Amino acid sequence: MNKKIPLVTVPRISLYYRALLESRHKDYISSEEIAYLTGFNSAQVRKDLAYFGQFGTPGKGYKVESLKKALLSILGTDRIWNVALVGVGNLGSALLSYKGFEEQGFKIVAAFDKDMRKIGKVIRQVKIQDIKDLEDTIHKKNIKIVILAIPAKHVQAIVDRLIKGGIKAILNFAPIRPKIPSDIHILNIDLSIELERLAYFLNKLR
Amino acid sequence: MNKKIPLVTVPRISLYYRALLESRHKDYISSEEIAYLTGFNSAQVRKDLAYFGQFGTPGKGYKVESLKKALLSILGTDRIWNVALVGVGNLGSALLSYKGFEEQGFKIVAAFDKDMRKIGKVIRQVKIQDIKDLEDTIHKKNIKIVILAIPAKHVQAIVDRLIKGGIKAILNFAPIRPKIPSDIHILNIDLSIELERLAYFLNKLR
DNA sequence: AACTGTGAAATTATTCACAGCT
DNA sequence: AGCTGTGAATAATTTCACAGTT
């Protein structure tokens, strides 16, 4: 009971949820089937789910509809999260236009840049604001998550401002890992590092 | 000697390499310093490096310049890798324009789409080709790594074609995990899952 | 004295295997 | 009979701690 949940369980829950979306037609689904659809092991599926409660019926499996609701509620995606984007360059613009976010309940409600030529422009109904309005808008729009798509050299300063402004969750695309207090959650998506992992693998082949 | 290298070591090596780039001014650097710069533990730094050889000098540390070269060679980024991009939508275009790749030795030399309105256009000196030329171009241009930025529903079919075409390393941005043989390396960057991890964390806060 | 390289210990995560429920 | 939930076993990874080198 009440064990500590491994960090890696959470992204798997997201994948299980997606597998359930594909299984709309059936009433019950077994851990074996979820495992097949997601590429994990059925014991892992059962254990991951069991961290959060008893969702299954022995002999039958998991009721698709109710498990789906349960997972949504675990992930916190049973509601809309307001998100801000900081940095409307190439990558930032692409993220602003990315439809996948809204589908999963993440709504980019504000975008910031410091380039005067961009400020005032509207992309996907979001008006690009001056970065100086950052803290103010975070409060007014009840923003809880920030996506950072700015050059590495500005990351630490912006992160410091975000934290002062009350933000606790950051998705950072810059190739740098800012120093943060332990109560802040940051996920770094570092595209070059991913390519380097692939290069390492290819390099090893001969 | 010759131990199995943990999978998670490789992305850390990338980060150590970056820390060395910041330390150009000094002759030697200790595992403690690398650890501080990257946010890991000094024992981990030493252990990670030791998987690949004996790079350090007891009492002094690691010689910055030679360790840098060694890490480049381990990662396989001491040479240029030709990369293809499949899918030139919002995200694909942004990746095509992303300068960070070239800096790390990854060169996008071809881009593919199936949309006739995009084919023939040139972005950053790369001409967008018809997806039907995929296999052909992969061979002609000696492409080893493919970045996938296409809708989920097309991923499996394209991945199958890539594998037949000899590709062994794929960076996939679509929110789906295609089935692949065990000798193929795929890394999935799933933006919604990352946001869901953040939402989970925020959700837990109260 | 300062620091590496590395076995051993500790921690974390995965998989096995089965008692018990439907 | 079929499948969950979960302790126990195994595997992977991190951290400790120190002998040995410069």
Side-chain angles (χ1 to χ4, degrees), chain A residues 23-56:
Chain A
S23 310
R24 243 183 266 92
H25 53 288
K26 56 194 340 179
D27 217 23
Y28 282 85
I29 190 168
S30 68
S31 59
E32 197 67 58
E33 290 169 286
I34 298 177
Y36 174 76
L37 291 170
T38 52
F40 300 107
N41 170 300
S42 71
Q44 180 141 73
V45 172
R46 291 198 299 280
K47 182 144 285 196
D48 282 343
L49 296 177
Y51 285 123
F52 299 100
Q54 308 217 146
F55 302 113

Side-chain angles (χ1 to χ4, degrees), chain B residues 49-66:
Chain B
L49 296 176
Y51 284 124
F52 299 99
Q54 308 217 147
F55 303 113
T57 311
K60 302 186 86 177
Y62 301 88
K63 197 159 211 288
V64 172
E65 277 314 310
S66 62

Side-chain angles (χ1 to χ4, degrees), chain B residues 165-183:
Chain B
I167 289 294
K168 300 253 181 285
I170 299 169
L171 187 59
N172 172 37
F173 285 88
I176 196 168
R177 315 243 162 155
K179 305 273 180 210
I180 48 162
S182 62
D183 64 324

Side-chain angles (χ1 to χ4, degrees), chain B residues 142-165:
Chain B
N142 191 33
I143 288 164
K144 297 294 182 196
I145 299 175
V146 172
I147 299 177
L148 276 191
I150 58 181
K153 61 174 179 284
H154 299 128
V155 168
Q156 187 68 58
I158 293 290
V159 165
D160 292 346
R161 279 178 67 183
L162 291 172
I163 293 172
K164 270 205 197 105

